[in-house]
């Protein structure tokens, strides 16, 4: 539309001017009101509209955060000027940013960057340090204990209760379940091409093993978790065992965790079965159905004796009789051989890790390192777990079926079955197969991740906490060190798995068993860790992997051959970070550098050959106008 200059045009111009001025004035009033309005540090109902309004108000005061990209579904809650008391340097001034997923710190007073990027799920404990009357520099603030071997200390100004808001926010968002809130995995909106929940399908995995067959069948008796609420819905049992037999056996096994098949040896038909302890009690109860059921397992591959590996020390198994448990006695189970593996319980393992943390963080005492490490007994426990798994694998490899249990069959039992299967079956040593192994033996068979890790729970002193899964991953790392070409995945995969064991970013390790995950719709409302890992598998591939389909791995479970996993337990120490590097990754980098050198030389040769002055080569030997990659196959490296 065009306007003619004149009185009409000027009239319209004046009207538009007055409207614009009115709009600007109203904007100024809104800004003034919002700037003067008190902003609550958090709201007790973070999922409601009032919370999002408070968050948006708070965000007006927050500076842009360019150092880290927020995840889809991640929202900033508060920023705070703070001092990080770094154990390796002097105190560092900076700003801490709290979101509903992480604590992020960056320094502001030094040219050397100091950053922390910690998922709130990693936090085990938050405590106030000092009081308003505390004396001494940086004596007033917060101390944060983490589940990944480090502690953090932050100092604030003492006047005006300056730590109250940030303490309450960290405490609330680090322990959402204790405050009636959701774990971040349910708030995340991450999307990946692959649905990691499809990595493991029970029937598909059993078919890969050659099941069902004439000796073993698949049963759906637990499809509604009626037989055992901590077992998966699909179970493999002896072909001759009826559904009624299974129900009778369940009454005599702790938590109704009956013996079921975990792995089948295709050549000799020996199996690994897992279960919980029998309910023998002080009076030495017997159950004919349980005794007959174990005979069916033994008869399935025709062995004369069924070897039962009880993960516990003998004295512990005897003591469990006082609480109604026990073990399979010779008089009742005459066709079975019982072996105790002397692996200690969850409480001993928890204390051992605490001692290990004391000697690796924040500083390592070099002068007494070996004696300090020995006093933690951590490597001794690793040795016993590996040694037990070797016995299981060797027995099955020789053609005899085995049954493995501890007390309830979800801690030491999972360690032994999964490690022995890793030794026996090369499929589980692939990137995808390792994911299947964890899904099957740990997640579907009910390792109590929620109780052992304490996801979103403020009760840091809970006696159920224990590093059982961490021990398993440590044992896997020990095997990768002894067999550097046998595993398709690298050390980075193991570290990422442990980091997200705590982070609560994915649904994979949440809750105690499959039935609880189903009731909380974990598969539909959260993302699987395998979606994330499989979105870029190149990060986790061992470049020296050599596939060997029939090789059984027997690691040396000797204190002389076991090492502390320094790149995990001491990775926060900057001195260690500079010193430590995986030899496999180092060699890989050397090869890549060598390849780059050859490519550069090849390119130089091609340029010199194509120049007009190059007459010393005949036409037949002159390379054509191809890319360097097309010629690299003719080069031989000295490795």
């Amino acid at each position: 539309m065009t306007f003619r200059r004149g009185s009409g045009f000027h009239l319209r111009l004046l009207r538009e001017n007055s409207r614009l001025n009115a709009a600007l004035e109203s904007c100024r009033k809104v800004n003034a009101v919002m700037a003067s309005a008190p902003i609550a540090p958090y709201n007790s109902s973070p999922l409601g509209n009032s919370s999002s309004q408070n968050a948006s108000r708070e965000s007006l005061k927050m500076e842009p955060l360019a150092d880290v990209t927020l995840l889809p579904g991640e929202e900033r809650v508060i920023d705070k000027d703070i001092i990080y008391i770094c154990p390796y340097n002097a105190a560092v001034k900076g700003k801490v940013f709290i979101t509903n997923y992480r604590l992020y710190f960056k320094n502001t007073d030094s040219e050397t960057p100091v950053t922390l990027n910690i998922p709130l799920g990693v936090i085990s404990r938050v405590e106030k340090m000092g009081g308003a009357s505390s004396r001494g520099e940086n004596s007033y603030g917060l101390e944060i204990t983490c589940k990944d071997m480090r502690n953090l200390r932050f100092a604030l100004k003492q006047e005006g209760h300056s730590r109250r808001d940030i303490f309450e926010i960290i405490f609330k968002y680090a322990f959402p379940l204790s405050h009636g809130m959701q774990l971040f995995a349910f708030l995340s909106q991450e999307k990946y091409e692959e649905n990691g929940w499809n990595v493991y399908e029970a029937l598909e995995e059993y078919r890969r093993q050659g099941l069902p067959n004439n000796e073993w069948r698949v049963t759906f008796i637990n499809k509604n978790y009626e037989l055992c609420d901590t077992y998966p819905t699909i179970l493999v049992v002896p072909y001759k065992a009826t559904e009624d037999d299974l129900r009778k056996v369940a009454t005599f096994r702790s938590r109704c965790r009956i013996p079921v098949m975990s792995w089948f040896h295709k050549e000799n038909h020996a199996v690994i079965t897992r279960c919980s302890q029998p309910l023998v009690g002080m009076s030495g109860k017997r159950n004919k159905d349980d005794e007959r059921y174990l005979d069916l397992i033994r008869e399935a591959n025709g062995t004369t004796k069924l070897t039962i590996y009880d993960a516990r020390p003998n004295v512990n198994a005897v003591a469990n009789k006082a609480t109604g448990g026990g073990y399979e006695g010779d008089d009742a189970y005459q066709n079975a051989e019982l072996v105790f593996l002397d692996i200690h319980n969850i409480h001993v393992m928890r204390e051992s890790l605490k001692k290990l943390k004391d000697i690796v963080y924040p500083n390592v005492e070099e002068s007494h390192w070996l004696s300090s490490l020995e006093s933690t007994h951590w490597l001794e426990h690793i040795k016993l777990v590996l040694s037990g798994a070797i016995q299981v694998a060797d027995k099955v490899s020789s053609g005899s079926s085995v049954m493995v249990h501890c007390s309830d069959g979800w801690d030491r039992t999972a360690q032994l079955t999964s490690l022995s299967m890793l030794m026996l079956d090369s499929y589980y040593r692939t990137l995808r197969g390792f994911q299947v192994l964890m899904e099957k033996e740990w997640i579907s068979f009910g390792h109590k991740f929620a109780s052992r890790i304490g996801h979103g729970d403020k009760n840091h002193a809970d006696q159920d906490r224990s590093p059982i899964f961490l021990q398993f991953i440590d044992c896997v790392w020990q095997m990768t060190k002894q067999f550097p070409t046998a595993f398709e995945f690298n050390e980075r995969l193991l570290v990422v798995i442990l980091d997200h064991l705590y982070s609560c970013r994915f649904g994979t390790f949440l809750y105690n068993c499959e039935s609880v995950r189903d009731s909380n719709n974990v598969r539909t409302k959260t993302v699987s860790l395998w979606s994330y890992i499989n979105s870029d598998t190149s990060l986790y591939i061992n470049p020296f992997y050599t596939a060997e389909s029939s090789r059984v791995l027997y690691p040396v479970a000797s204190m002389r051959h076991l090492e502390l996993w320094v790149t995990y337990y001491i990775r926060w120490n900057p001195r260690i970070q500079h010193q430590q590097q995986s030899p496999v990754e180092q060699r890989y980098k050397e090869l890549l550098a060598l390849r780059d050198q050859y490519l550069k030389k090849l390119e130089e040769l091609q340029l010199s050959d194509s120049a007009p002055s190059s007459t010393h080569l005949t036409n037949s030997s002159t390379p054509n106008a191809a890319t360097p990659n097309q010629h690299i196959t003719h080069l031989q490296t000295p490795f």
Side-chain angles (χ1 to χ4, degrees):
M1 179 182 293
T2 58
F3 295 106
R4 287 183 301 154
R5 291 189 180 276
S7 60
F9 170 76
H10 287 295
L11 194 59
R12 277 191 286 270
L13 191 61
L14 286 170
R15 286 176 185 156
E16 292 299 324
N17 225 6
S18 64
R19 285 180 190 155
L20 184 60
N21 287 333
L24 287 171
E25 182 61 28
S26 63
C27 283
R28 275 194 290 269
K29 288 179 180 177
V30 169
N31 285 337
V33 170
M34 292 192 72
S36 62
I39 298 175
Y42 66 91
N43 188 282
S44 61
S45 178
L47 303 179
N49 293 331
S50 59
S51 170
S52 59
Q53 288 168 2
N54 285 338
S56 63
R57 286 180 189 171
E58 188 68 39
S59 66
L60 292 173
K61 300 174 67 177
M62 297 181 188
E63 63 185 58
L65 184 56
D67 305 62
V68 62
T69 303
L70 298 184
L71 299 170
E74 183 179 4
E75 296 177 355
R76 289 170 68 180
V77 181
I78 192 175
D79 299 353
K80 190 88 172 177
D81 290 319
I82 205 165
I83 297 173
Y84 169 46
I85 305 174
C86 180
Y88 306 109
N89 301 298
V92 183
K93 290 183 179 179
K95 187 177 282 287
V96 68
F97 305 86
I98 307 295
T99 73
N100 57 348
Y101 170 66
R102 80 183 82 201
L103 179 155
Y104 183 81
F105 170 86
K106 66 174 182 178
N107 63 315
T108 55
D109 68 340
S110 171
E111 293 181 0
T112 306
V114 177
T115 60
L116 297 170
N117 191 352
I118 304 165
L120 296 177
V122 171
I123 295 175
S124 171
R125 186 177 186 177
V126 186
E127 294 179 293
K128 293 177 180 177
M129 180 179 69
S133 59
S134 296
R135 296 184 178 275
E137 190 178 7
N138 300 329
S139 60
Y140 175 84
L142 301 175
E143 186 160 3
I144 297 175
T145 305
C146 297
K147 300 171 184 175
D148 61 359
M149 307 301 290
R150 55 182 163 169
N151 296 341
L152 308 172
R153 295 180 71 201
F154 294 101
L156 296 101
K157 296 177 181 177
Q158 286 178 268
E159 61 269 14
H161 302 287
S162 62
R163 71 181 171 192
R164 180 183 296 167
D165 56 350
I166 191 166
F167 172 80
E168 292 177 342
I169 284 173
I170 293 175
F171 198 78
K172 175 183 177 182
Y173 283 95
F175 311 120
L177 295 186
S178 295
H179 294 86
M181 296 161 54
Q182 287 184 304
L183 295 165
F184 179 75
F186 291 93
L187 305 175
S188 173
Q189 298 172 16
E190 289 185 82
K191 303 292 182 187
Y192 295 96
E193 287 187 13
E194 179 181 340
N195 183 357
W197 295 117
N198 296 330
V199 161
Y200 172 63
E201 296 292 342
L203 287 175
E204 184 179 322
E205 166 58 15
Y206 287 128
R207 274 194 290 267
R208 184 194 68 81
Q209 295 182 28
L211 301 164
N213 55 29
N214 294 332
E215 301 149 5
W216 296 89
R217 68 181 181 88
V218 174
T219 176
F220 299 94
I221 189 174
N222 202 41
K223 65 180 180 180
N224 295 319
Y225 307 106
E226 293 173 353
L227 181 74
C228 175
D229 61 356
T230 60
Y231 262 5
T233 56
I234 296 172
L235 303 171
V236 176
V237 297
Y239 190 85
K240 295 180 181 178
T242 66
E243 308 296 78
D244 194 44
D245 290 335
L246 302 180
R247 292 187 186 93
K248 291 176 181 176
V249 172
T251 63
F252 193 65
R253 289 282 164 177
S254 176
R255 314 285 182 173
C256 300
R257 293 172 67 91
I258 66 171
V260 293
M261 202 274 289
S262 271
W263 189 78
F264 177 78
H265 197 299
K266 289 182 180 179
E267 281 75 37
N268 61 35
H269 289 209
V271 299
I272 299 173
T273 56
R274 58 178 296 171
C275 61
S276 61
Q277 65 182 338
L279 301 178
V280 176
M282 292 297 291
S283 60
K285 294 178 189 173
R286 292 184 59 172
N287 185 297
K288 294 294 184 183
D289 297 295
D290 190 75
E291 294 165 20
R292 179 175 169 274
Y293 184 77
L294 264 59
D295 261 343
L296 294 180
I297 294 174
R298 178 188 60 79
E299 291 169 0
N301 78 321
T303 52
T304 55
K305 287 275 187 181
L306 174 67
T307 305
I308 301 172
Y309 287 105
D310 191 323
R312 301 166 293 184
N314 189 348
V315 63
N316 292 30
V318 172
N320 276 11
K321 283 187 173 184
T323 58
Y327 54 91
E328 294 82 0
D330 294 339
D331 53 342
Y333 299 88
Q334 297 179 0
N335 294 323
E337 173 192 15
L338 182 63
V339 179
F340 291 103
L341 297 177
D342 296 325
I343 303 171
H344 289 280
N345 62 27
I346 61 171
H347 311 296
V348 173
M349 302 309 182
R350 180 179 60 251
E351 294 306 312
S352 178
L353 184 66
K354 281 182 181 177
K355 292 177 182 177
L356 180 62
K357 182 174 181 176
D358 288 340
I359 70 165
V360 300
Y361 191 91
N363 295 303
V364 175
E365 182 60 54
E366 292 287 343
S367 58
H368 304 97
W369 169 247
L370 290 178
S371 58
S372 297
L373 179 60
E374 184 182 9
S375 68
T376 69
H377 301 292
W378 183 256
L379 289 181
E380 186 180 330
H381 296 317
I382 295 294
K383 183 196 80 168
L384 288 170
V385 173
L386 270 175
S387 177
I390 291 167
Q391 292 182 59
V392 173
D394 185 53
K395 183 67 71 172
V396 172
S397 184
S398 65
S400 297
S401 292
V402 303
M403 189 173 82
V404 182
H405 71 71
C406 47
S407 297
D408 291 320
W410 49 45
D411 290 315
R412 289 165 283 190
T413 300
Q415 289 177 333
L416 292 168
T417 57
S418 54
L419 286 169
S420 59
M421 288 157 61
L422 199 64
M423 297 171 191
L424 290 163
D425 194 334
S426 62
Y427 170 68
Y428 296 128
R429 303 196 284 265
T430 66
L431 179 60
R432 184 66 61 121
F434 190 57
Q435 297 170 22
V436 169
L437 179 66
M438 285 181 284
E439 283 281 346
K440 183 165 79 71
E441 290 303 296
W442 289 88
I443 297 170
S444 78
F445 272 104
H447 174 64
K448 298 173 67 173
F449 283 103
S451 299
R452 300 292 177 255
I453 307 302
H455 294 128
D457 184 355
K458 67 180 181 181
N459 299 315
H460 60 86
D462 190 340
Q463 292 299 298
D464 274 350
R465 305 275 178 97
S466 192
I468 301 302
F469 186 76
L470 167 61
Q471 275 189 323
F472 160 68
I473 295 293
D474 193 326
C475 289
V476 174
W477 179 81
Q478 301 287 347
M479 290 178 64
T480 64
K481 291 288 289 182
Q482 294 191 26
F483 303 98
T485 64
F487 294 84
E488 187 184 23
F489 51 87
N490 59 20
E491 180 184 48
R492 179 181 292 175
L493 175 74
L494 303 179
V495 174
V496 168
I497 288 171
L498 289 178
D499 283 345
H500 291 299
L501 170 69
Y502 308 123
S503 74
C504 297
R505 176 177 168 184
F506 303 102
T508 303
F509 299 120
L510 301 184
Y511 300 108
N512 280 336
C513 58
E514 190 176 285
S515 62
V516 181
R517 289 186 198 97
D518 282 358
S519 63
N520 284 277
N521 301 306
V522 168
R523 291 174 69 97
T524 56
K525 291 185 176 180
T526 71
V527 176
S528 166
L529 172 60
W530 317 130
S531 298
Y532 168 72
I533 285 176
N534 294 334
S535 67
D536 189 0
T537 56
S538 63
L539 296 172
Y540 312 105
I541 295 298
N542 171 15
F544 298 104
Y545 170 63
T546 304
E548 295 176 280
S549 60
S550 59
R551 184 184 180 195
V552 179
L553 303 183
Y554 291 118
V556 180
S558 161
M559 296 297 286
R560 288 181 293 108
H561 288 81
L562 298 180
E563 303 175 34
L564 181 70
W565 187 6
V566 171
T567 46
Y568 177 75
Y569 296 114
I570 317 184
R571 59 179 166 153
W572 308 116
N573 189 320
R575 299 175 189 83
I576 297 295
Q577 289 174 357
H578 295 311
Q579 295 170 4
Q580 293 294 323
Q581 190 168 30
S582 164
V584 171
E585 288 190 359
Q586 180 63 34
R587 178 61 67 87
Y588 189 38
K589 288 180 179 178
E590 291 173 3
L591 288 172
L592 290 175
L594 191 64
R595 185 195 66 177
D596 291 340
Q597 290 177 19
Y598 277 121
L599 287 172
K600 187 176 180 180
K601 288 180 181 178
L602 189 59
E603 191 174 355
E604 290 172 356
L605 284 172
Q606 287 177 325
L607 288 173
S608 63
D609 288 347
S610 61
S613 59
S614 298
T615 57
H616 61 282
L617 291 175
T618 63
N619 289 336
S620 61
S621 63
T622 302
N624 56 26
T627 62
N629 285 336
Q630 289 174 299
H631 292 271
I632 195 66
T633 53
H634 301 292
L635 297 173
Q636 298 294 325
T637 70
F639 291 99

